[in-house]
Structures are given as structure tokens and as C-alpha cells.
Amino acid sequence: MGVSGLAVLVPVLVWLVADPVWGHRLRIVDGERTLDIGVVAVGLAALLAALAGWGLLAALERFGVRRARAVWTGVAVAVLALSFLPLTGDGMDGGTRAVLALMHLAVAAVLIPGLRRQAASAAASPASGTPRTAPDGDNLAEASRRRR
């Protein structure tokens, strides 16, 4: 199973423990409306995060951004921090808050090191069709041309 698949599976497992096993419904109440957070929403949100993370990392590397993996990691950590802002609002109990926070952390714990490692191994493989990069994230071909 790839990094993206694992990033979807982990929060779904958290949801399975919280909702069906422990019996804690994940709910957000906004006035008269109630939003039940189900397994499909959890999986889709995780998949969206995985695809967005992968796409950004691929774009940074494709366009030769210096130290692309380091830049991407900084952006990923910032997005993780921002993802907690909605959890500070009203309309959910402490259990829902804790489970959602755990899901956010679980997805990040899989995606950040997993996509970095995947990008590093793809960069090291000349047959992959992607530019090879130095340990500092520089494109080796570009660095070689600049030195000439």
C-alpha cells in the first residue's frame, strides 16, 4: 500500500475506534444544523490532503525549486498547524475535538515523512524520469550546468 493509501487508512481506523467501537459520534452542531462526520468524509478528506501534498511536492521538484523537500515540509507543517484552527471553535464536544485532532496528526505522521522519503527515492533513481537531486534538494543537472 502506498503512502496515500496509508494516509487514508489511518484516520479511517481512528474513526472506526471512536465511532462504532467506543460509540462516540463525531458531531459538529452549528445552530440548528448538525453535521455527523462519517467514514466517507474522513476518507475523502485524507485523500484530498494526500493528493494536495503529493501535487505540491511534485510541482516544487518539477519546477526546480531549491531545497524543494525542505520547502514542502515547511508548508506541510504550516498546513497541519492551520488545520487545528477549526477545532478551536464552538459546536463540538471535547471527544470530537480530540478525535479530529488525532486524525489530523495521524495523516500528517504518514504523509510528511512518507512523501519526503518517496520523493528522495524517486530523485535518486535515474530511471524514474524525474530529475536527480542532491541531498540539499538541488537538481543535480541544474547544479552541474551552473558550474560550467
Side-chain angles (χ1 to χ4, degrees):
M1 174 180 292
V3 172
S4 296
L6 189 58
V8 172
L9 179 62
V10 170
V12 166
L13 292 175
V14 171
W15 181 88
L16 285 170
V17 169
D19 197 316
V21 174
W22 286 343
H24 182 78
R25 305 284 295 166
L26 301 181
R27 281 201 174 110
I28 299 173
V29 179
D30 182 22
E32 293 181 19
R33 297 184 323 175
T34 300
L35 172 67
D36 284 320
I37 301 170
V39 70
V40 173
V42 168
L44 286 176
L47 180 61
L48 181 63
L51 292 175
W54 171 80
L56 177 60
L57 181 56
L60 290 170
E61 289 183 333
R62 172 74 176 105
F63 293 111
V65 172
R66 198 154 194 240
R67 298 179 44 88
R69 277 178 265 142
V71 169
W72 179 84
T73 302
V75 170
V77 170
V79 168
L80 173 62
L82 290 173
S83 77
F84 288 107
L85 286 178
L87 303 180
T88 63
D90 294 334
M92 66 184 91
D93 62 18
T96 297
R97 235 181 275 284
V99 170
L100 291 175
L102 180 59
M103 286 179 187
H104 289 215
L105 290 170
V107 170
V110 170
L111 285 180
I112 294 173
L115 288 178
R116 279 185 59 92
R117 202 172 16 255
Q118 204 172 50
S121 66
S125 169
S128 70
T130 58
R132 292 186 52 197
T133 57
D136 67 355
D138 275 353
N139 180 310
L140 289 177
E142 284 294 315
S144 171
R145 275 187 233 124
R146 282 189 298 240
R147 283 187 234 135
R148 290 183 195 163

